[in-house]
Amino acid sequence: DSGVTQTPKHLITATGQRVTLRCSPRSGDLSVYWYQQSLDQGLQFLIQYYNGEERAKGNILERFSAQQFPDLHSELNLSSLELGDSALYFCASSPRRGASYGYTFGSGTRLTVV
Amino acid sequence: QKEVEQDPGPLSVPEGAIVSLNCTYSNSAFQYFMWYRQYSRKGPELLMYTYSSGNKEDGRFTAQVDKSSKYISLFIRDSQPSDSATYLCAMSAPSGGGADGLTFGKGTHLIIQP
């Protein structure tokens, strides 16, 4: 157990729907990162929050949004889902603001859009 | 050209062999280099971390960085069947605003044959 908790583990939903993925970081970690992993694109950085504030954005679609709450857990909202959004979504956490020393990943949420 | 290139494999070697995994990159700003191991349906797990050029050894694992060639390697000695996994290289530039997540290679699928 890495200490980073993601729920749900699996999600199956229809095109056009909206889903929310949840992440609880390791105790004491202030940074939360979201990544999407697909077979053809590999791990793609989506967005980072540090202590409640958005800090960096990667390849995140406008249909996707995220937030980090005062208790430091984070949610990733995916809307108007398309078949191509089917992927593994990982959350990672770190005690630091930057990515320089790496971070700890959760086990991921497998999203299937049908 | 992608920022980080990594041969996807699969790379199949007999138990006990020395394994060499490699990545090349194009962004000369990268200073921090990591190797993650990912078992099937699990989150990536940080294996090795290296700053700038040089070697780092941890048990059976050795990480090498050659910044002049923009080339990093991970060597696994006395490989075991439990080393069978996907190995992802990751790297980042010093923090300073903008996209601050790690940039990952697509991963090399390694199979150690008993």
Side-chain angles (χ1 to χ4, degrees), chain A residues 49-68:
Chain A
Y49 280 83
Y50 177 78
N51 203 21
E53 294 192 2
E54 181 186 305
R55 183 165 189 276
K57 265 187 174 179
N59 302 318
I60 189 166
L61 300 172
E62 285 191 11
R63 301 183 285 109
F64 296 0
S65 65
Q67 54 185 325
Q68 186 179 29

